[in-house]
Amino acid sequence: MPLDLRNYPLLANINYPEDLRLLKKRQLPALCEELRQFLLTSVSQSSGHLASGLGVVELTVALHYVYHTPFDHLIWDVGHQAYPHKILTGRRDQMESIRQFKGLHPFPWREESEYDVLSVGHSSTSIGAALGLAIAAEKEQKGRKVVAVIGDGAITAGMAFEALNHAGALNNDMLVVLNDNEMSISENVGALNNHLAKILSGDLYTQFREGSKKVLSNIPPIKELAKKTEEHLKGMVSPGTIFEEFGFNYIGPMDGHNVIDLVDTLRNMRNHPGPQFLHIMSKKGKGYKQAELDPITYHAVPKFTPDQALPTPKPCAPTFSKIFGQWLNDMADSDPKLTAITPAMREGSGMVEFSKRHPDKYYDVAIAEQHAVTLAAGMAIAELNPIVAIYSSFLQRGYDQLIHDVAIQNLGVLFAIDRAGIVGADGPTHQGAYDLSFLRCVPNMTVMTPSDEQECRNMLYTGHLLNTPAAVRYPRGSGTGVPIETQMSALEIGKAKLVREGEGLAILCFGTFLQAAIPVAEKLNATLVDMRFVKPLDKALLTQLASSHTQVVTIEENSIAGGAGSAVNEFLLSQKFNGQLLNLGLPDTFVEQGTQAEIYQMLKLDSEGIEEQINAFFS
């Protein structure tokens, strides 16, 4: 149920930003405290992203106070930090449903609110989208303003710099706010720097700056001298030279938790012409000590009690991420040429222990998926044995590099693809629905789908030994609980595994849906096959099954369109199979958020649903 708003007297009266803008500026610090406490209490009761949102409370309030949203466009990068934004934009009383099945979306989402200008879940898209909106705003001539908020992690991606470069060249009116939370707010980012930020963003300085450009425009040597003098003057108090070189007017760094100074500075900057850049320093988890001390653990949290430690997860089978991490350590101990690359997913990909035990073999390239793939290609050319640990939905961003830099050159790069299939609460932007479809069409690739933990180890081992492009894709969450053997065996490439012999009906499973298919096969007396390889397929076994079965079902945790089932269809039809084919998998829609169990049930991909679909199709 919604929180009791009597504990939040200011926030209770703010249903939309226009209500916020009725407050006196001196009331904003108190509102920020209420908003921060509301966020903490709400997320502790519902689960969700926490530390990032706590760090942008003052910035969120200041932006909505100064800018006339939704007429002015406000764009959040990635979106983990958008919970305070959602609270202030009409969704306060729905926050208990965030990331839940049929509830609020975990990230900004256009279909959910007119205040969410850009649907987003992946990083580094905000500046490019904002520039597109700024171009349209200039053509529109209605005085609309555009703001993009991007973090220090997201701005490391190449496309963020591509957008900065283009924005500086076009000179459209827009503001980029860099939320820098990797450093604590040191002494030089205090009263003096806040004061300088207000001066440098003020009308007097801006008029002097723009006027000087016009006066000196026809005297190149003096103009250049003035430009250099300004750069050196700013350089004494700020690190913004690189952004000035892109063509932005840089202001900062300033304290991102001083809402009054933020409002004053944003007001000054709102009407400045051309591309503007505001650099703020903030602290993830601000106001909640546990999250400040450990923002990684408190990035996304389960339900918890704020005055207690996070609940200890119940013992269960190890996750596939952990299986990968253990395998990586085992292989690194015996392979001096092994290297492992991650695009800022060390914790999620199970690489924490590896990064500590083998720091000389571990490379975190930050949020730069394209670079991660090409870096691996370079390493492979130099006869190292690179492994790219990457989420399925993030590998989409490195697809050209996978084809151009790895596959065409037939290089020995192993892709360990985590979060393949349904990921749960993060929703459409993170569902790993397409990797089998976009990988199986690439020449030279070997693509494997383990059905349990030991098969995952064996497949990783197999791919590592291949010295050609290979991918092992595995789901989020725990495995099936099978015993894990230290000894690993290389699999015969393209060889499937017959699990059960039956009559008439053959069920071909790619990946962990095998467990859900076992009781179905037993009940229907069907032949059951763990296909293991999407590419190459076990064509000999398929030919044999086609001669003895009249009905074939494929099951995969991937889009049906172009997926593993499509590969089976293509082969069987080329062999003139005249039986019936049914492909089960993810539909041709973007799959919403919810627990994995809820989504499987909704899509009829649990045991009951699989049986129901088979009976309905072949009846």
Side-chain angles (χ1 to χ4, degrees):
M1 59 183 296
L3 298 181
D4 187 350
L5 292 177
R6 289 176 295 182
N7 297 321
Y8 311 95
L10 290 173
L11 186 61
N13 293 314
I14 297 174
N15 296 306
Y16 291 96
E18 53 260 39
D19 301 320
L20 166 64
R21 292 190 280 268
L22 294 176
L23 294 180
K24 303 293 185 183
K25 188 170 67 171
R26 56 181 168 77
Q27 294 177 286
L28 297 183
L31 172 65
C32 290
E33 289 307 308
E34 288 186 18
L35 179 55
R36 180 169 280 113
Q37 188 57 46
F38 183 94
L39 174 63
L40 174 59
T41 304
S42 174
V43 172
S44 72
Q45 294 181 8
S46 66
S47 77
H49 299 112
L50 180 61
S52 297
L54 290 173
V56 297
V57 166
E58 288 81 8
L59 176 62
T60 306
V61 168
L63 286 169
H64 280 296
Y65 192 73
V66 172
Y67 286 86
H68 303 153
T69 55
F71 175 76
D72 288 341
H73 289 319
L74 174 57
I75 300 175
W76 299 94
D77 209 283
V78 185
H80 297 128
Q81 76 279 46
Y83 286 28
H85 162 79
K86 287 180 182 266
I87 293 168
L88 294 175
T89 54
R91 290 163 279 183
R92 180 192 61 216
D93 298 336
Q94 300 169 266
M95 289 301 293
E96 62 178 1
S97 73
I98 199 163
R99 300 178 89 236
Q100 309 298 314
F101 189 53
K102 303 299 182 183
L104 287 181
H105 198 278
F107 305 106
W109 208 245
R110 283 170 51 81
E111 296 173 8
E112 186 177 283
S113 171
E114 63 179 332
Y115 291 89
D116 293 357
V117 181
L118 178 71
S119 295
V120 63
H122 293 184
S123 83
S124 315
T125 61
S126 61
I127 303 175
L131 178 57
L133 289 160
I135 291 170
E138 183 174 292
K139 295 178 182 296
E140 185 184 44
Q141 290 294 303
K142 291 183 179 179
R144 193 189 306 272
K145 303 299 179 181
V146 180
V147 182
V149 180
I150 188 168
D152 56 311
I155 207 169
T156 62
M159 66 178 298
F161 282 91
E162 292 170 14
L164 285 170
N165 185 55
H166 192 202
L170 291 183
N171 206 40
N172 291 93
D173 296 352
M174 63 181 289
L175 170 64
V176 174
V177 179
L178 172 60
N179 177 36
D180 188 345
N181 53 33
E182 279 301 305
M183 298 167 58
S184 60
I185 298 172
S186 55
E187 291 181 4
N188 67 318
V189 188
L192 176 59
N193 263 66
N194 290 347
H195 181 63
L196 285 168
K198 286 190 284 186
I199 290 175
L200 293 174
S201 65
D203 288 340
L204 181 61
Y205 175 81
T206 302
Q207 290 169 8
F208 172 77
R209 182 175 184 265
E210 296 302 316
S212 297
K213 287 181 181 178
K214 294 177 182 178
V215 171
L216 300 175
S217 60
N218 295 318
I219 314 175
I222 298 178
K223 178 186 175 184
E224 186 63 24
L225 175 63
K227 182 175 183 290
K228 292 297 182 183
T229 301
E230 180 189 28
E231 288 176 0
H232 288 302
L233 183 63
K234 281 191 171 183
M236 289 189 293
V237 295
S238 70
T241 303
I242 185 172
F243 302 109
E244 292 277 354
E245 291 296 333
F246 275 121
F248 281 74
N249 177 41
Y250 173 91
I251 302 296
M254 66 179 300
D255 185 352
H257 299 299
N258 187 322
V259 68
I260 301 297
D261 285 352
L262 281 173
V263 166
D264 290 341
T265 301
L266 288 169
R267 276 180 171 165
N268 286 340
M269 301 185 78
R270 187 179 183 277
N271 295 315
H272 287 353
Q276 308 293 316
F277 194 100
L278 176 62
H279 182 180
I280 71 166
M281 305 296 292
S282 67
K283 190 169 186 63
K284 274 188 177 180
K286 175 69 175 178
Y288 180 51
K289 185 176 181 180
Q290 291 92 319
E292 289 186 17
L293 294 173
D294 190 0
I296 293 175
T297 298
Y298 283 86
H299 168 69
V301 294
K303 295 180 182 180
F304 71 105
T305 302
D307 59 357
Q308 299 176 11
L310 289 178
T312 302
K314 296 179 181 178
C316 59
T319 64
F320 279 94
S321 302
K322 185 174 182 179
I323 295 297
F324 167 70
Q326 292 172 338
W327 172 83
L328 196 58
N329 278 311
D330 292 344
M331 287 303 304
D333 289 338
S334 60
D335 180 2
K337 291 189 174 183
L338 180 147
T339 58
I341 302 163
T342 177
M345 288 287 123
R346 182 183 72 154
E347 287 75 21
S349 294
M351 301 174 72
V352 173
E353 183 181 353
F354 175 81
S355 68
K356 295 175 180 177
R357 284 177 52 179
H358 301 279
D360 57 326
K361 299 180 178 181
Y362 169 75
Y363 299 89
D364 186 341
V365 301
I367 302 174
E369 295 87 355
Q370 294 172 308
H371 169 56
V373 177
T374 303
L375 174 67
M379 290 177 172
I381 289 171
E383 299 185 352
L384 296 176
N385 296 324
I387 299 155
V388 179
I390 193 167
Y391 290 6
S392 171
S393 59
F394 297 159
L395 182 56
Q396 296 163 185
R397 308 183 78 171
Y399 189 49
D400 177 64
Q401 288 68 30
L402 182 147
I403 295 173
H404 182 271
D405 300 334
V406 175
I408 287 177
Q409 301 176 83
N410 203 24
L411 296 174
V413 177
L414 173 62
F415 295 90
I417 306 175
D418 203 337
R419 270 58 167 185
I422 298 300
V423 299
D426 282 343
T429 57
H430 286 63
Q431 311 287 21
Y434 310 109
D435 56 87
L436 294 185
S437 301
F438 69 66
L439 287 174
R440 79 170 189 86
C441 62
V442 180
N444 293 332
M445 287 294 302
T446 298
V447 184
M448 295 170 270
T449 58
S451 59
D452 61 39
E453 300 92 315
Q454 185 59 42
E455 278 219 330
C456 187
R457 277 178 63 86
N458 289 339
M459 288 180 179
L460 290 165
Y461 182 66
T462 302
H464 187 60
L465 297 180
L466 268 183
N467 200 33
T468 56
V472 179
R473 58 101 70 175
Y474 42 90
R476 180 177 189 169
S478 300
T480 62
V482 302
I484 299 172
E485 302 171 5
T486 304
Q487 186 67 32
M488 291 174 285
S489 302
L491 304 180
E492 181 181 345
I493 301 301
K495 184 67 174 175
K497 177 182 177 183
L498 184 64
V499 178
R500 184 187 189 279
E501 289 193 63
E503 297 179 357
L505 171 66
I507 301 175
L508 314 180
C509 285
F510 294 87
T512 54
F513 275 157
L514 178 69
Q515 309 308 316
I518 289 174
V520 179
E522 292 174 349
K523 188 171 182 179
L524 301 179
N525 190 27
T527 294
L528 181 62
V529 179
D530 179 1
M531 289 299 293
R532 287 180 165 176
F533 290 84
V534 175
K535 187 173 186 177
L537 290 170
D538 190 335
K539 295 181 178 180
L541 179 59
L542 288 176
T543 300
Q544 178 186 331
L545 291 173
S547 67
S548 57
H549 295 72
T550 59
Q551 300 170 336
V552 174
V553 178
T554 65
I555 307 176
E556 62 190 296
E557 197 168 350
N558 185 84
S559 172
I560 295 172
S566 291
V568 172
N569 295 353
E570 291 161 13
F571 175 74
L572 290 180
L573 292 175
S574 74
Q575 302 301 302
K576 300 182 179 180
F577 175 67
N578 58 7
Q580 295 175 292
L581 288 168
L582 171 63
N583 301 134
L584 301 181
L586 304 184
D588 188 22
T589 58
F590 291 109
V591 180
E592 62 191 289
Q593 76 264 19
T595 66
Q596 288 170 304
E598 288 171 331
I599 299 300
Y600 295 153
Q601 183 179 39
M602 179 184 74
L603 299 179
K604 297 184 178 180
L605 291 173
D606 54 4
S607 292
E608 293 77 11
I610 290 170
E611 182 183 351
E612 179 185 337
Q613 291 196 75
I614 290 174
N615 286 332
F617 186 82
F618 294 119
S619 61

